[in-house]
Amino acid sequence: MKFPAICVAALLATSASAESHEYRVLFGGDDVGGLEVETDGDSSTIVFDYKQNGRGPTIAETLKLDESGMPSSWTITGRTTFGNPVNETYACADGKADWRDATGPGSADACSFYIDQNGSPWGISLLAKALLAEPDGELAVLPGGTARIRARDSATYDGAGGTVTVTTYEITGLSTNPTHVTLDEELQLFSVASPRFAIVREGYEGADEALRAEAERYSTQRFVEIQANAARNFNGPVRIRNVRIFDPKTLAVTEARDVVVNGERIASIQQVGSTPTEGETVIDGAGGTLVPGMYEMHGHIGQDNALMNIVAGITSVRDMGNENAVLDGLIERIADGTIAGPRISRSGFIEGKSEFSAATGEIAANEQEAIDLVRWYAARGYPQVKLYNSMNPEWATAVVGEAHALGMRVAGHVPAFSTADAMIDAGFDEITHVNQLMLGWVLNEGEDTRTLFRFTAMQRFPSLDLEGELVQSTLDKMARKGVAHDPTIAIHELGLTAIDGEIPAGSVDVFDNMPIDTQRAMKQALFGTDSQAERDAYIAAFKTILETLTLMNDKGIFLVPGTDLGGSFAYHRELELFEKLGMTPAQVLRRATYDMAEYLDQDEGLGSIERGKYADFFLVPGDPTANLKEIKRIRMVVANGTVYFPSEIYPYFGIKPFVDAPQILTGPQPLED
């Protein structure tokens, strides 16, 4: 049978439109999963599944596009990285849009491109196509906001399918940071990459390193631009006039003073209203309070959150595990003033080899390799090592002994199939995460904490007898041996108590200032539950956690504040939770500042506002010793002598400022680049 030419062409087009697209998910170069897309005409089925460090998303999607390339129907099911159920839908019918995500239902009187909450990166590639079809490269999107696109760079890569020419595009307007997506000449997805993570077309895995380097370069360029516009370095001394000073040693706020900074150091603290010397810049503190720069003690610092920590008053971060080369580069860029960021104290991350190994840091296959890694970190000046879940607990005594012999502190998770007591006996100086500490009280022999079970098993915590011998003996041993604890309370609160569709307690004070996609993310639970009974057990578990930490504080066990959530606003919540353990606001501030400087042997130059110390501090309008929430209203941050006004920086992230900047009264012009 012979078809008319137009019919033959149509059949060929339909046949040609049935395609398979496969991608590999790479963490630090390790293959940890994949993305598979089957398209037939305007319809696609998508499977996105990877597992790193015993966790990762499992997502299935069905998607249909209209003639303009916009989603007309979309279903997304599965589970998020930490196991929260996903049941997301979108539909456009008769010119109206309806959707449901983890925040609840929504609708609009007109259809547009729907930004999924929990889908795979395939959706962002379709958004890029839609934006490129717009004359001005921008599009009002659902549930709200405007997305914009610009081309960055083109490159060619060789792989199993031959040489491919690709272009990387930057999409802004969706959340606090841009998204970068790389498409080929047919506008098909080639990759999505960050400095540590890449999803790359199968057969082109060799491009991983170059793509991640490109992502780091784009991020650097962005923050270089912000630094050039927002960082203030003045000729001559800077006088912050009429400020009270929080003194962590006395737990009190002083009378009004003038604080003079010269370069990176505090030059003097003078009587309020003292006459400025010639050439000074004078900033009006308006009777507010200066607080020493704070320490985020459980960071995994990256370029995208370095500046956000600075404007939150966090001028020092202890990094608890990272790609060593990536972190070294970040430290260099911060040190030479290329970008803004906190002072970073490094932890050498050591993991054991298993099917659940974390891709971060270095992996040891045996005890000697673990000892050799300790020596490697010590030779490079790392002050501590962090041991992780897959490490054989039988190695702990030898590994800790080597670290101590080299003058290093040891912190860490409790390795699988062991207990906090065993690690304390092995010589750990610090136990990391409150669930890691408490799991040994509720686990049965052989239960594996290298998976999400280390979170789900917390449902057993309410059954604990906190006054019983099991708990008390561990806590007494910690107190007796001086073992510190890094509980990361805020992430446990989020995981155990956050409910889909509700603003979690830690986000209430900042929610209204966030861009819409960040608000959507805030209103999604972290740990998944399949019943109200499970959620009730989690909520009760968090209550038990707070009771346990209160006991620890009462016993004098040294608790260090850190979030494992990137710091910034989450760190402010962490400090609020420390207050719930029985500390006064002044005690919490001391713990976040001077105590941490002393703990890290940095108190000679940091931790308090004194003549000769580094100029690391921030200004709030009121008295944070009376109301700790004042630390959420930061007007100015001085980090290593450079002045930042958060109200000028937050708009770069789509965030509405919380308070205005102080007035610059007199002084010379800022330094020229």
Side-chain angles (χ1 to χ4, degrees):
M1 182 176 180
K2 188 173 182 179
F3 291 95
I6 189 169
C7 294
V8 171
L11 287 171
L12 289 174
T14 300
S15 176
S17 66
E19 299 175 336
S20 296
H21 309 273
E22 295 192 9
Y23 303 83
R24 303 312 304 165
V25 180
L26 306 172
F27 254 98
D30 295 332
D31 191 319
V32 296
L35 167 64
E36 299 178 1
V37 183
E38 298 287 338
T39 64
D40 189 355
D42 57 9
S43 299
S44 298
T45 58
I46 304 159
V47 175
F48 183 45
D49 189 359
Y50 71 84
K51 298 293 177 286
Q52 197 278 131
N53 191 15
R55 56 184 183 252
T58 301
I59 298 295
E61 303 172 66
T62 58
L63 171 64
K64 187 172 183 178
L65 304 177
D66 65 19
E67 63 279 0
S68 63
M70 302 282 190
S72 58
S73 66
W74 202 342
T75 63
I76 306 170
T77 59
R79 290 190 179 270
T80 63
T81 294
F82 287 93
N84 197 43
V86 175
N87 189 12
E88 185 174 358
T89 60
Y90 170 81
C92 173
D94 300 324
K96 294 186 177 182
D98 291 280
W99 64 87
R100 176 178 287 275
D101 60 16
T103 69
S107 62
D109 291 334
C111 297
S112 186
F113 199 102
Y114 172 74
I115 306 299
D116 63 273
Q117 186 181 42
N118 286 300
S120 71
W122 189 254
I124 204 70
S125 73
L126 298 178
L127 174 62
K129 286 185 189 181
L131 288 168
L132 291 170
E134 296 293 320
D136 55 1
E138 68 176 50
L139 184 65
V141 295
L142 297 172
T146 300
R148 300 174 180 86
I149 195 168
R150 65 165 174 159
R152 297 302 305 260
D153 295 301
S154 295
T156 57
Y157 296 105
D158 293 324
T163 300
V164 176
T165 299
V166 300
T167 300
T168 298
Y169 297 92
E170 180 180 271
I171 299 175
T172 57
L174 300 181
S175 61
T176 55
N177 292 311
T179 297
H180 291 94
V181 58
T182 302
L183 308 180
D184 65 18
E185 291 179 299
E186 284 72 43
L187 302 184
Q188 291 289 349
L189 178 64
F190 181 78
S191 69
V192 174
S194 74
R196 293 190 57 241
F197 172 84
I199 301 170
V200 186
R201 184 176 293 176
E202 189 172 60
Y204 293 84
E205 292 88 343
D208 167 65
E209 187 172 337
L211 290 164
R212 291 191 289 121
E214 178 185 66
E216 185 171 338
R217 178 167 58 86
Y218 291 147
S219 177
T220 300
Q221 289 172 353
R222 178 190 182 214
F223 287 103
V224 167
E225 292 172 4
I226 296 175
Q227 181 79 343
N229 292 328
R232 295 172 180 265
N233 292 286
F234 298 94
N235 284 302
V238 176
R239 178 181 296 266
I240 300 104
R241 168 169 287 174
N242 185 22
V243 289
R244 297 170 294 167
I245 300 169
F246 170 66
D247 182 352
K249 297 176 183 178
T250 65
L251 299 177
V253 172
T254 69
E255 297 297 321
R257 298 283 189 269
D258 285 1
V259 175
V260 181
V261 172
N262 188 38
E264 63 183 16
R265 298 278 183 171
I266 298 169
S268 63
I269 298 174
Q270 303 178 10
Q271 289 187 344
V272 66
S274 297
T275 302
T277 61
E278 184 178 354
E280 288 186 22
T281 297
V282 180
I283 297 175
D284 184 10
T289 305
L290 286 188
V291 181
M294 299 183 292
Y295 280 76
E296 154 66 290
M297 293 292 283
H298 198 116
H300 297 279
I301 192 75
Q303 198 154 251
D304 286 348
N305 61 20
L307 179 57
M308 288 294 287
N309 275 285
I310 288 291
V311 294
I314 300 162
T315 57
S316 295
V317 168
R318 182 178 66 167
D319 188 282
M320 291 297 282
N322 219 314
E323 291 293 321
N324 294 327
V326 171
L327 185 60
D328 287 346
L330 177 61
I331 291 171
E332 290 174 7
R333 290 190 292 280
I334 292 171
D336 65 21
T338 301
I339 64 171
R343 303 173 190 274
I344 298 173
S345 299
R346 299 179 297 184
S347 297
F349 191 100
I350 301 175
E351 168 72 306
K353 186 175 181 60
S354 81
E355 61 181 308
F356 302 108
S357 297
T360 301
E362 303 296 331
I363 296 176
N366 55 56
E367 181 180 289
Q368 187 57 51
E369 286 186 7
I371 291 172
D372 290 344
L373 285 171
V374 171
R375 295 177 57 79
W376 188 92
Y377 284 123
R380 286 153 183 81
Y382 284 64
Q384 77 169 34
V385 291
K386 176 186 176 183
L387 308 182
Y388 209 61
N389 291 80
S390 288
M391 193 193 78
N392 188 329
E394 295 177 1
W395 309 343
T397 299
V399 172
V400 172
E402 184 69 19
H404 286 170
L406 295 170
M408 302 173 77
R409 179 185 289 113
V410 177
H413 287 208
V414 173
F417 314 112
S418 188
T419 65
D421 284 88
M423 293 304 102
I424 294 167
D425 291 339
F428 270 40
D429 301 290
E430 178 181 317
I431 302 293
T432 302
H433 300 302
V434 68
N435 67 320
Q436 293 285 318
L437 171 68
M438 297 174 66
L439 283 171
W441 301 331
V442 299
L443 292 181
N444 299 314
E445 186 175 354
E447 290 184 319
D448 192 346
T449 56
R450 295 174 297 178
T451 68
L452 287 178
F453 183 67
R454 65 179 178 266
F455 306 122
T456 59
M458 286 191 282
Q459 294 178 56
R460 301 176 186 177
F461 286 177
S463 65
L464 281 168
D465 176 9
L466 298 185
E467 298 300 326
E469 175 64 21
L470 183 66
V471 172
Q472 290 291 319
S473 63
T474 302
L475 300 188
D476 288 343
K477 183 187 296 187
M478 290 183 73
R480 186 172 63 253
K481 294 193 172 188
V483 177
H485 184 46
D486 166 21
T488 59
I489 317 172
I491 195 171
H492 287 84
E493 179 188 49
L494 180 64
L496 296 171
T497 70
I499 297 171
D500 283 344
E502 298 184 10
I503 303 172
S507 300
V508 168
D509 293 336
V510 301
F511 181 85
D512 290 341
N513 296 66
M514 296 296 115
I516 187 168
D517 259 32
T518 303
Q519 291 180 337
R520 292 173 78 194
M522 285 177 168
K523 293 174 70 174
Q524 181 172 15
L526 184 62
F527 295 170
T529 58
D530 292 319
S531 68
Q532 186 59 48
E534 281 188 89
R535 180 57 66 196
D536 290 343
Y538 274 153
I539 292 171
F542 184 66
K543 181 175 181 291
T544 304
I545 284 172
L546 291 180
E547 292 170 350
T548 302
L549 292 171
T550 300
L551 275 175
M552 295 174 73
N553 185 55
D554 291 343
K555 287 178 179 288
I557 296 170
F558 193 70
L559 304 176
V560 301
T563 69
D564 203 17
L565 285 169
S568 187
F569 304 123
Y571 185 81
H572 296 163
R573 180 58 180 172
E574 183 81 12
L575 297 188
E576 288 181 322
L577 291 167
F578 264 65
E579 195 175 5
K580 291 181 179 293
L581 308 183
M583 295 185 183
T584 66
Q587 289 171 332
V588 173
L589 289 174
R590 176 186 169 109
R591 184 59 51 91
T593 57
Y594 186 79
D595 285 352
M596 293 302 95
E598 191 174 45
Y599 185 62
L600 296 180
D601 296 323
Q602 297 174 358
D603 52 302
E604 184 175 334
L606 295 166
S608 58
I609 300 172
E610 300 179 65
R611 181 180 182 274
K613 286 196 170 185
Y614 287 108
D616 280 25
F617 51 76
F618 61 93
L619 172 68
V620 297
D623 180 359
T625 66
N627 182 0
L628 192 59
K629 285 185 182 291
E630 278 296 303
I631 64 172
K632 300 184 180 186
R633 302 199 305 141
I634 297 176
R635 302 186 70 198
M636 176 181 71
V637 180
V638 179
N640 204 38
T642 299
V643 177
Y644 300 91
F645 296 153
S647 62
E648 296 179 346
I649 293 172
Y650 281 134
Y652 286 100
F653 297 86
I655 299 171
K656 291 184 291 186
F658 299 89
V659 67
D660 61 357
Q663 184 180 0
I664 300 176
L665 298 175
T666 61
Q669 295 296 312
L671 288 171
E672 296 293 333
D673 291 335

